[in-house]
Amino acid sequence: MFRTALLRSARSATSQAVRSSAAIARPSLSSFVVTKSRFAPAAFQAARCYSAAAGLSKPEVEGRIVDLLKNFDKVSDASKLSPTSHFSNDLGLDSLDTVEVVMAIEEEFSIEIPDKEADAIHSVDKAVEYILAQPDAH
Amino acid sequence: MALQAYRHLLRSTRLAFQGDIPLLHAARQEARSNFRKNASLSIDDPALGTAIAHAEEVAKFLAENVVQGKHEGDNMYKLRIHEQTERGDNDTVKAPGGGKPIVIDGKTCGS
């Protein structure tokens, strides 16, 4: 008797927790600010989500790469930063800097880019294209 | 070639000094300054090949022979041994020199 009551109350508590966190679990992906806050979910402990994460959107990837380049001190002219800028032609980076940028992109999206592909990334849009093609980038 | 070595080196520093930001920065700073120093070597300079080989060796060493330890108190350290860490194999100890007899004073062992 006591056990069933306990179970029932526990069940209703979890379902409530799931319901309340469901609103947080579905942020509108269009806003970049909202997606950033996804990394510090406070109410997420109540229910685990085993579903696959939604893929990255192009504006989000672009925004993250441009932000990363903004913080890179070697970029000579930050005003030239755009989703289409070329690392050496527009941003004044040499080949060693490019390697560092690609490495930083790897760390940002927690993936490992093989040497051959990494050598071919010379511009922001190339990097965005590559990241979007990676299913496990996040 | 040099760029690949640089990439391998940076990747090894990430593996060897994971979560240790000051050391990671110091290692990358060192790698960067050394690569900058040799950046002006011409393509047919013999020193170029040596420098690249050196970088690759450092990368290999960092990945395989450096292990992070965390002090857990009580003279105890917790080591973070990862999959690339070089691990000795007892069989290699039993067969020194890859199974070839060892030469001592010109005489071979076991003869």
Side-chain angles (χ1 to χ4, degrees), chain A residues 5-81:
Chain A
L6 193 70
L7 275 177
R8 198 178 303 129
S9 69
R11 202 175 302 132
S12 71
T14 30
S15 69
Q16 261 169 16
V18 170
R19 215 175 300 131
S20 65
S21 69
I24 303 162
R26 271 186 273 109
S28 64
L29 279 166
S30 55
S31 153
F32 183 53
V33 187
V34 173
T35 44
K36 260 208 149 168
S37 69
R38 215 163 36 131
F39 297 110
F44 244 22
Q45 310 306 331
R48 284 193 184 171
C49 299
Y50 290 104
S51 58
L56 293 165
S57 66
K58 196 174 178 210
E60 188 193 342
V61 174
E62 271 172 9
R64 275 162 74 180
I65 292 180
V66 168
D67 274 358
L68 185 150
L69 282 165
K70 233 179 256 167
N71 295 325
F72 195 61
D73 50 359
K74 299 265 182 54
V75 172
S76 55
D77 191 357
S79 63
K80 280 193 176 169
L81 256 178

Side-chain angles (χ1 to χ4, degrees), chain B residues 59-84:
Chain B
K60 189 167 182 286
F61 183 84
L62 283 177
E64 294 182 357
N65 300 100
V66 174
V67 169
Q68 284 175 312
K70 195 177 169 202
H71 195 205
E72 299 265 288
D74 261 0
N75 270 342
M76 206 162 67
Y77 285 87
K78 193 164 194 172
L79 298 183
R80 193 179 66 83
I81 292 174
H82 47 78
E83 54 182 7
Q84 287 202 48

Side-chain angles (χ1 to χ4, degrees), chain A residues 72 74 94-97 99-100 102-103 106-107 111-116 118-119, chain B residues 1-4 6-11 13-14 24 28 31-32 35-36 39 84:
Chain A
F72 195 61
K74 299 265 182 54
D94 65 12
S95 55
L96 286 179
D97 296 327
V99 171
E100 284 174 37
V102 173
M103 192 62 59
E106 277 189 10
E107 282 163 19
I111 51 166
E112 192 153 306
I113 307 176
D115 281 344
K116 221 168 155 194
D119 285 337
Chain B
M1 269 278 270
L3 291 182
Q4 283 190 9
Y6 191 47
R7 185 173 300 121
H8 293 160
L9 189 53
L10 291 184
R11 216 170 256 161
T13 59
R14 178 171 63 196
L24 181 66
R28 294 204 162 169
R32 189 177 303 136
F35 267 86
R36 292 256 171 254
Q84 287 202 48

